[in-house]
PDB file of all heavy atoms in Angstrom:
ATOM      1  N   PHE A 136     -25.570  19.282 -17.098  1.00  0.00           N
ATOM      2  CA  PHE A 136     -25.768  17.883 -17.457  1.00  0.00           C
ATOM      3  C   PHE A 136     -27.233  17.471 -17.293  1.00  0.00           C
ATOM      4  O   PHE A 136     -27.949  18.022 -16.455  1.00  0.00           O
ATOM      5  CB  PHE A 136     -24.896  16.979 -16.584  1.00  0.00           C
ATOM      6  CG  PHE A 136     -23.447  17.362 -16.601  1.00  0.00           C
ATOM      7  CD1 PHE A 136     -22.914  18.172 -15.611  1.00  0.00           C
ATOM      8  CD2 PHE A 136     -22.612  16.942 -17.625  1.00  0.00           C
ATOM      9  CE1 PHE A 136     -21.584  18.549 -15.630  1.00  0.00           C
ATOM     10  CE2 PHE A 136     -21.272  17.307 -17.660  1.00  0.00           C
ATOM     11  CZ  PHE A 136     -20.755  18.112 -16.658  1.00  0.00           C
ATOM     12  N   ASN A 137     -27.633  16.495 -18.078  1.00  0.00           N
ATOM     13  CA  ASN A 137     -28.971  15.914 -17.986  1.00  0.00           C
ATOM     14  C   ASN A 137     -28.921  14.769 -16.969  1.00  0.00           C
ATOM     15  O   ASN A 137     -28.449  13.673 -17.283  1.00  0.00           O
ATOM     16  CB  ASN A 137     -29.421  15.398 -19.353  1.00  0.00           C
ATOM     17  CG  ASN A 137     -30.789  14.739 -19.300  1.00  0.00           C
ATOM     18  OD1 ASN A 137     -31.459  14.747 -18.260  1.00  0.00           O
ATOM     19  ND2 ASN A 137     -31.203  14.149 -20.409  1.00  0.00           N
ATOM     20  N   MET A 138     -29.406  15.029 -15.773  1.00  0.00           N
ATOM     21  CA  MET A 138     -29.312  14.048 -14.697  1.00  0.00           C
ATOM     22  C   MET A 138     -30.341  12.927 -14.816  1.00  0.00           C
ATOM     23  O   MET A 138     -30.299  11.962 -14.053  1.00  0.00           O
ATOM     24  CB  MET A 138     -29.461  14.745 -13.329  1.00  0.00           C
ATOM     25  CG  MET A 138     -28.332  15.712 -13.009  1.00  0.00           C
ATOM     26  SD  MET A 138     -26.737  14.873 -12.973  1.00  0.00           S
ATOM     27  CE  MET A 138     -25.634  16.240 -12.628  1.00  0.00           C
ATOM     28  N   GLU A 139     -31.269  13.038 -15.729  1.00  0.00           N
ATOM     29  CA  GLU A 139     -32.282  11.998 -15.912  1.00  0.00           C
ATOM     30  C   GLU A 139     -31.916  11.028 -17.025  1.00  0.00           C
ATOM     31  O   GLU A 139     -32.639  10.069 -17.283  1.00  0.00           O
ATOM     32  CB  GLU A 139     -33.648  12.644 -16.212  1.00  0.00           C
ATOM     33  CG  GLU A 139     -34.144  13.584 -15.121  1.00  0.00           C
ATOM     34  CD  GLU A 139     -34.172  12.898 -13.755  1.00  0.00           C
ATOM     35  OE1 GLU A 139     -34.599  11.723 -13.681  1.00  0.00           O
ATOM     36  OE2 GLU A 139     -33.759  13.540 -12.773  1.00  0.00           O
ATOM     37  N   ARG A 140     -30.813  11.267 -17.681  1.00  0.00           N
ATOM     38  CA  ARG A 140     -30.376  10.386 -18.766  1.00  0.00           C
ATOM     39  C   ARG A 140     -29.743   9.122 -18.185  1.00  0.00           C
ATOM     40  O   ARG A 140     -28.816   9.187 -17.388  1.00  0.00           O
ATOM     41  CB  ARG A 140     -29.371  11.117 -19.656  1.00  0.00           C
ATOM     42  CG  ARG A 140     -28.876  10.314 -20.849  1.00  0.00           C
ATOM     43  CD  ARG A 140     -27.953  11.178 -21.696  1.00  0.00           C
ATOM     44  NE  ARG A 140     -27.348  10.415 -22.778  1.00  0.00           N
ATOM     45  CZ  ARG A 140     -26.477  10.928 -23.648  1.00  0.00           C
ATOM     46  NH1 ARG A 140     -26.140  12.219 -23.556  1.00  0.00           N
ATOM     47  NH2 ARG A 140     -25.966  10.170 -24.602  1.00  0.00           N
ATOM     48  N   ASP A 141     -30.251   7.976 -18.586  1.00  0.00           N
ATOM     49  CA  ASP A 141     -29.773   6.695 -18.048  1.00  0.00           C
ATOM     50  C   ASP A 141     -28.553   6.241 -18.844  1.00  0.00           C
ATOM     51  O   ASP A 141     -28.671   5.772 -19.983  1.00  0.00           O
ATOM     52  CB  ASP A 141     -30.881   5.639 -18.131  1.00  0.00           C
ATOM     53  CG  ASP A 141     -30.521   4.378 -17.345  1.00  0.00           C
ATOM     54  OD1 ASP A 141     -29.402   4.325 -16.795  1.00  0.00           O
ATOM     55  OD2 ASP A 141     -31.353   3.453 -17.287  1.00  0.00           O
ATOM     56  N   GLU A 142     -27.386   6.389 -18.262  1.00  0.00           N
ATOM     57  CA  GLU A 142     -26.136   6.004 -18.911  1.00  0.00           C
ATOM     58  C   GLU A 142     -25.129   5.604 -17.838  1.00  0.00           C
ATOM     59  O   GLU A 142     -25.387   5.730 -16.636  1.00  0.00           O
ATOM     60  CB  GLU A 142     -25.593   7.152 -19.766  1.00  0.00           C
ATOM     61  CG  GLU A 142     -25.404   8.454 -18.995  1.00  0.00           C
ATOM     62  CD  GLU A 142     -24.970   9.597 -19.898  1.00  0.00           C
ATOM     63  OE1 GLU A 142     -24.496   9.318 -21.015  1.00  0.00           O
ATOM     64  OE2 GLU A 142     -25.097  10.763 -19.476  1.00  0.00           O
ATOM     65  N   ALA A 143     -23.981   5.128 -18.270  1.00  0.00           N
ATOM     66  CA  ALA A 143     -22.965   4.662 -17.331  1.00  0.00           C
ATOM     67  C   ALA A 143     -21.594   4.804 -17.980  1.00  0.00           C
ATOM     68  O   ALA A 143     -21.479   5.028 -19.187  1.00  0.00           O
ATOM     69  CB  ALA A 143     -23.219   3.202 -16.950  1.00  0.00           C
ATOM     70  N   PHE A 144     -20.534   4.692 -17.152  1.00  0.00           N
ATOM     71  CA  PHE A 144     -19.179   4.668 -17.698  1.00  0.00           C
ATOM     72  C   PHE A 144     -18.341   3.657 -16.935  1.00  0.00           C
ATOM     73  O   PHE A 144     -18.617   3.338 -15.776  1.00  0.00           O
ATOM     74  CB  PHE A 144     -18.536   6.062 -17.690  1.00  0.00           C
ATOM     75  CG  PHE A 144     -18.113   6.561 -16.333  1.00  0.00           C
ATOM     76  CD1 PHE A 144     -16.779   6.494 -15.931  1.00  0.00           C
ATOM     77  CD2 PHE A 144     -19.036   7.120 -15.453  1.00  0.00           C
ATOM     78  CE1 PHE A 144     -16.380   6.967 -14.700  1.00  0.00           C
ATOM     79  CE2 PHE A 144     -18.644   7.596 -14.214  1.00  0.00           C
ATOM     80  CZ  PHE A 144     -17.312   7.516 -13.831  1.00  0.00           C
ATOM     81  N   GLU A 145     -17.315   3.144 -17.612  1.00  0.00           N
ATOM     82  CA  GLU A 145     -16.449   2.111 -17.033  1.00  0.00           C
ATOM     83  C   GLU A 145     -15.412   2.760 -16.113  1.00  0.00           C
ATOM     84  O   GLU A 145     -14.710   3.692 -16.516  1.00  0.00           O
ATOM     85  CB  GLU A 145     -15.743   1.335 -18.150  1.00  0.00           C
ATOM     86  CG  GLU A 145     -14.806   0.243 -17.667  1.00  0.00           C
ATOM     87  CD  GLU A 145     -15.504  -0.795 -16.804  1.00  0.00           C
ATOM     88  OE1 GLU A 145     -16.391  -1.494 -17.324  1.00  0.00           O
ATOM     89  OE2 GLU A 145     -15.151  -0.879 -15.610  1.00  0.00           O
ATOM     90  N   ASP A 162     -16.803  12.686 -24.634  1.00  0.00           N
ATOM     91  CA  ASP A 162     -17.926  11.938 -24.063  1.00  0.00           C
ATOM     92  C   ASP A 162     -17.546  11.314 -22.725  1.00  0.00           C
ATOM     93  O   ASP A 162     -18.351  11.308 -21.788  1.00  0.00           O
ATOM     94  CB  ASP A 162     -18.375  10.846 -25.032  1.00  0.00           C
ATOM     95  CG  ASP A 162     -19.688  10.214 -24.611  1.00  0.00           C
ATOM     96  OD1 ASP A 162     -20.682  10.959 -24.450  1.00  0.00           O
ATOM     97  OD2 ASP A 162     -19.722   8.981 -24.409  1.00  0.00           O
ATOM     98  N   ARG A 165     -17.398  14.041 -20.145  1.00  0.00           N
ATOM     99  CA  ARG A 165     -18.764  14.476 -19.817  1.00  0.00           C
ATOM    100  C   ARG A 165     -19.361  13.567 -18.750  1.00  0.00           C
ATOM    101  O   ARG A 165     -19.974  14.037 -17.782  1.00  0.00           O
ATOM    102  CB  ARG A 165     -19.634  14.451 -21.081  1.00  0.00           C
ATOM    103  CG  ARG A 165     -21.088  14.877 -20.833  1.00  0.00           C
ATOM    104  CD  ARG A 165     -21.940  14.687 -22.080  1.00  0.00           C
ATOM    105  NE  ARG A 165     -22.016  13.293 -22.494  1.00  0.00           N
ATOM    106  CZ  ARG A 165     -22.815  12.388 -21.917  1.00  0.00           C
ATOM    107  NH1 ARG A 165     -23.597  12.726 -20.900  1.00  0.00           N
ATOM    108  NH2 ARG A 165     -22.826  11.141 -22.360  1.00  0.00           N
ATOM    109  N   LYS A 166     -19.145  12.254 -18.889  1.00  0.00           N
ATOM    110  CA  LYS A 166     -19.687  11.300 -17.924  1.00  0.00           C
ATOM    111  C   LYS A 166     -18.964  11.396 -16.575  1.00  0.00           C
ATOM    112  O   LYS A 166     -19.594  11.318 -15.519  1.00  0.00           O
ATOM    113  CB  LYS A 166     -19.580   9.882 -18.482  1.00  0.00           C
ATOM    114  CG  LYS A 166     -20.493   9.634 -19.687  1.00  0.00           C
ATOM    115  CD  LYS A 166     -20.288   8.242 -20.270  1.00  0.00           C
ATOM    116  CE  LYS A 166     -21.211   7.994 -21.461  1.00  0.00           C
ATOM    117  NZ  LYS A 166     -20.983   6.658 -22.066  1.00  0.00           N
ATOM    118  N   LYS A 169     -20.158  14.550 -14.923  1.00  0.00           N
ATOM    119  CA  LYS A 169     -21.561  14.388 -14.518  1.00  0.00           C
ATOM    120  C   LYS A 169     -21.644  13.602 -13.211  1.00  0.00           C
ATOM    121  O   LYS A 169     -22.398  13.977 -12.299  1.00  0.00           O
ATOM    122  CB  LYS A 169     -22.342  13.668 -15.617  1.00  0.00           C
ATOM    123  CG  LYS A 169     -23.798  13.397 -15.279  1.00  0.00           C
ATOM    124  CD  LYS A 169     -24.498  12.669 -16.421  1.00  0.00           C
ATOM    125  CE  LYS A 169     -25.916  12.254 -16.048  1.00  0.00           C
ATOM    126  NZ  LYS A 169     -26.597  11.545 -17.162  1.00  0.00           N
ATOM    127  N   TYR A 170     -20.878  12.542 -13.122  1.00  0.00           N
ATOM    128  CA  TYR A 170     -20.891  11.731 -11.892  1.00  0.00           C
ATOM    129  C   TYR A 170     -20.368  12.538 -10.708  1.00  0.00           C
ATOM    130  O   TYR A 170     -20.946  12.498  -9.610  1.00  0.00           O
ATOM    131  CB  TYR A 170     -20.049  10.480 -12.088  1.00  0.00           C
ATOM    132  CG  TYR A 170     -19.983   9.599 -10.854  1.00  0.00           C
ATOM    133  CD1 TYR A 170     -21.105   8.911 -10.409  1.00  0.00           C
ATOM    134  CD2 TYR A 170     -18.807   9.490 -10.121  1.00  0.00           C
ATOM    135  CE1 TYR A 170     -21.056   8.120  -9.270  1.00  0.00           C
ATOM    136  CE2 TYR A 170     -18.749   8.699  -8.980  1.00  0.00           C
ATOM    137  CZ  TYR A 170     -19.876   8.019  -8.566  1.00  0.00           C
ATOM    138  OH  TYR A 170     -19.826   7.245  -7.432  1.00  0.00           O
ATOM    139  N   LEU A 173     -22.943  14.984  -9.655  1.00  0.00           N
ATOM    140  CA  LEU A 173     -24.050  14.275  -9.015  1.00  0.00           C
ATOM    141  C   LEU A 173     -23.715  13.932  -7.562  1.00  0.00           C
ATOM    142  O   LEU A 173     -24.530  14.152  -6.655  1.00  0.00           O
ATOM    143  CB  LEU A 173     -24.353  13.005  -9.810  1.00  0.00           C
ATOM    144  CG  LEU A 173     -25.517  12.127  -9.342  1.00  0.00           C
ATOM    145  CD1 LEU A 173     -26.790  12.943  -9.217  1.00  0.00           C
ATOM    146  CD2 LEU A 173     -25.722  10.971 -10.316  1.00  0.00           C
ATOM    147  N   LEU A 631     -19.073  -0.890 -13.912  1.00  0.00           N
ATOM    148  CA  LEU A 631     -19.811   0.139 -14.641  1.00  0.00           C
ATOM    149  C   LEU A 631     -20.531   1.039 -13.651  1.00  0.00           C
ATOM    150  O   LEU A 631     -21.327   0.567 -12.831  1.00  0.00           O
ATOM    151  CB  LEU A 631     -20.820  -0.490 -15.603  1.00  0.00           C
ATOM    152  CG  LEU A 631     -20.328  -0.903 -16.988  1.00  0.00           C
ATOM    153  CD1 LEU A 631     -21.459  -1.532 -17.774  1.00  0.00           C
ATOM    154  CD2 LEU A 631     -19.756   0.291 -17.741  1.00  0.00           C
ATOM    155  N   GLN A 632     -20.269   2.340 -13.708  1.00  0.00           N
ATOM    156  CA  GLN A 632     -20.889   3.289 -12.788  1.00  0.00           C
ATOM    157  C   GLN A 632     -22.082   3.958 -13.448  1.00  0.00           C
ATOM    158  O   GLN A 632     -21.959   4.641 -14.458  1.00  0.00           O
ATOM    159  CB  GLN A 632     -19.875   4.355 -12.363  1.00  0.00           C
ATOM    160  CG  GLN A 632     -20.450   5.446 -11.489  1.00  0.00           C
ATOM    161  CD  GLN A 632     -21.062   4.899 -10.206  1.00  0.00           C
ATOM    162  OE1 GLN A 632     -20.380   4.257  -9.428  1.00  0.00           O
ATOM    163  NE2 GLN A 632     -22.352   5.149  -9.986  1.00  0.00           N
ATOM    164  N   SER A 633     -23.259   3.728 -12.857  1.00  0.00           N
ATOM    165  CA  SER A 633     -24.479   4.353 -13.373  1.00  0.00           C
ATOM    166  C   SER A 633     -24.454   5.851 -13.100  1.00  0.00           C
ATOM    167  O   SER A 633     -23.923   6.316 -12.089  1.00  0.00           O
ATOM    168  CB  SER A 633     -25.706   3.726 -12.718  1.00  0.00           C
ATOM    169  OG  SER A 633     -26.880   4.439 -13.085  1.00  0.00           O
ATOM    170  N   LEU A 634     -25.068   6.618 -14.021  1.00  0.00           N
ATOM    171  CA  LEU A 634     -25.168   8.068 -13.864  1.00  0.00           C
ATOM    172  C   LEU A 634     -26.619   8.522 -13.697  1.00  0.00           C
ATOM    173  O   LEU A 634     -26.903   9.714 -13.759  1.00  0.00           O
ATOM    174  CB  LEU A 634     -24.543   8.766 -15.075  1.00  0.00           C
ATOM    175  CG  LEU A 634     -23.053   8.482 -15.306  1.00  0.00           C
ATOM    176  CD1 LEU A 634     -22.572   9.152 -16.578  1.00  0.00           C
ATOM    177  CD2 LEU A 634     -22.229   8.953 -14.123  1.00  0.00           C
ATOM    178  N   LEU A 635     -27.512   7.565 -13.477  1.00  0.00           N
ATOM    179  CA  LEU A 635     -28.920   7.898 -13.266  1.00  0.00           C
ATOM    180  C   LEU A 635     -29.131   8.201 -11.791  1.00  0.00           C
ATOM    181  O   LEU A 635     -28.723   7.427 -10.919  1.00  0.00           O
ATOM    182  CB  LEU A 635     -29.809   6.736 -13.705  1.00  0.00           C
ATOM    183  CG  LEU A 635     -31.316   6.996 -13.721  1.00  0.00           C
ATOM    184  CD1 LEU A 635     -31.661   8.087 -14.733  1.00  0.00           C
ATOM    185  CD2 LEU A 635     -32.077   5.712 -14.044  1.00  0.00           C
ATOM    186  N   MET A 636     -29.761   9.324 -11.504  1.00  0.00           N
ATOM    187  CA  MET A 636     -29.927   9.789 -10.128  1.00  0.00           C
ATOM    188  C   MET A 636     -30.515   8.717  -9.225  1.00  0.00           C
ATOM    189  O   MET A 636     -30.005   8.465  -8.127  1.00  0.00           O
ATOM    190  CB  MET A 636     -30.827  11.025 -10.109  1.00  0.00           C
ATOM    191  CG  MET A 636     -31.143  11.565  -8.721  1.00  0.00           C
ATOM    192  SD  MET A 636     -29.840  12.587  -8.040  1.00  0.00           S
ATOM    193  CE  MET A 636     -30.082  14.100  -8.969  1.00  0.00           C
ATOM    194  N   SER A 637     -31.564   8.042  -9.652  1.00  0.00           N
ATOM    195  CA  SER A 637     -32.235   7.054  -8.810  1.00  0.00           C
ATOM    196  C   SER A 637     -31.307   5.885  -8.480  1.00  0.00           C
ATOM    197  O   SER A 637     -31.295   5.378  -7.356  1.00  0.00           O
ATOM    198  CB  SER A 637     -33.503   6.544  -9.490  1.00  0.00           C
ATOM    199  OG  SER A 637     -33.196   5.955 -10.740  1.00  0.00           O
ATOM    200  N   LYS A 638     -30.486   5.469  -9.465  1.00  0.00           N
ATOM    201  CA  LYS A 638     -29.571   4.350  -9.233  1.00  0.00           C
ATOM    202  C   LYS A 638     -28.430   4.754  -8.306  1.00  0.00           C
ATOM    203  O   LYS A 638     -27.995   3.976  -7.463  1.00  0.00           O
ATOM    204  CB  LYS A 638     -29.031   3.834 -10.563  1.00  0.00           C
ATOM    205  CG  LYS A 638     -30.086   3.142 -11.427  1.00  0.00           C
ATOM    206  CD  LYS A 638     -29.491   2.596 -12.716  1.00  0.00           C
ATOM    207  CE  LYS A 638     -30.549   1.898 -13.557  1.00  0.00           C
ATOM    208  NZ  LYS A 638     -29.997   1.379 -14.848  1.00  0.00           N
ATOM    209  N   VAL A 639     -27.940   5.977  -8.462  1.00  0.00           N
ATOM    210  CA  VAL A 639     -26.871   6.458  -7.575  1.00  0.00           C
ATOM    211  C   VAL A 639     -27.386   6.575  -6.147  1.00  0.00           C
ATOM    212  O   VAL A 639     -26.684   6.244  -5.188  1.00  0.00           O
ATOM    213  CB  VAL A 639     -26.314   7.808  -8.081  1.00  0.00           C
ATOM    214  CG1 VAL A 639     -25.315   8.389  -7.081  1.00  0.00           C
ATOM    215  CG2 VAL A 639     -25.646   7.619  -9.437  1.00  0.00           C
ATOM    216  N   LEU A 640     -28.617   7.024  -5.997  1.00  0.00           N
ATOM    217  CA  LEU A 640     -29.222   7.097  -4.660  1.00  0.00           C
ATOM    218  C   LEU A 640     -29.338   5.711  -4.042  1.00  0.00           C
ATOM    219  O   LEU A 640     -29.084   5.530  -2.838  1.00  0.00           O
ATOM    220  CB  LEU A 640     -30.602   7.758  -4.735  1.00  0.00           C
ATOM    221  CG  LEU A 640     -30.620   9.285  -4.804  1.00  0.00           C
ATOM    222  CD1 LEU A 640     -32.024   9.783  -5.131  1.00  0.00           C
ATOM    223  CD2 LEU A 640     -30.144   9.882  -3.481  1.00  0.00           C
ATOM    224  N   ALA A 641     -29.715   4.730  -4.850  1.00  0.00           N
ATOM    225  CA  ALA A 641     -29.824   3.356  -4.355  1.00  0.00           C
ATOM    226  C   ALA A 641     -28.455   2.825  -3.930  1.00  0.00           C
ATOM    227  O   ALA A 641     -28.331   2.140  -2.911  1.00  0.00           O
ATOM    228  CB  ALA A 641     -30.431   2.459  -5.438  1.00  0.00           C
ATOM    229  N   GLU A 642     -27.421   3.166  -4.681  1.00  0.00           N
ATOM    230  CA  GLU A 642     -26.064   2.753  -4.319  1.00  0.00           C
ATOM    231  C   GLU A 642     -25.643   3.385  -2.996  1.00  0.00           C
ATOM    232  O   GLU A 642     -25.029   2.732  -2.147  1.00  0.00           O
ATOM    233  CB  GLU A 642     -25.082   3.172  -5.416  1.00  0.00           C
ATOM    234  CG  GLU A 642     -25.219   2.378  -6.708  1.00  0.00           C
ATOM    235  CD  GLU A 642     -24.347   2.940  -7.811  1.00  0.00           C
ATOM    236  OE1 GLU A 642     -23.612   3.919  -7.554  1.00  0.00           O
ATOM    237  OE2 GLU A 642     -24.388   2.401  -8.928  1.00  0.00           O
TER     238      GLU A 642
END
Side-chain angles (χ1 to χ4, degrees):
F136 306 96
N137 178 5
M138 295 300 178
E139 301 306 318
R140 182 177 174 182
D141 191 357
E142 55 185 342
F144 74 100
E145 179 58 64
D162 191 56
R165 179 186 62 79
K166 292 176 179 178
K169 178 180 174 180
Y170 179 69
L173 182 54
L631 275 179
Q632 176 59 59
S633 173
L634 299 176
L635 188 63
M636 177 81 76
S637 59
K638 291 182 179 179
V639 174
L640 280 170
E642 289 173 2

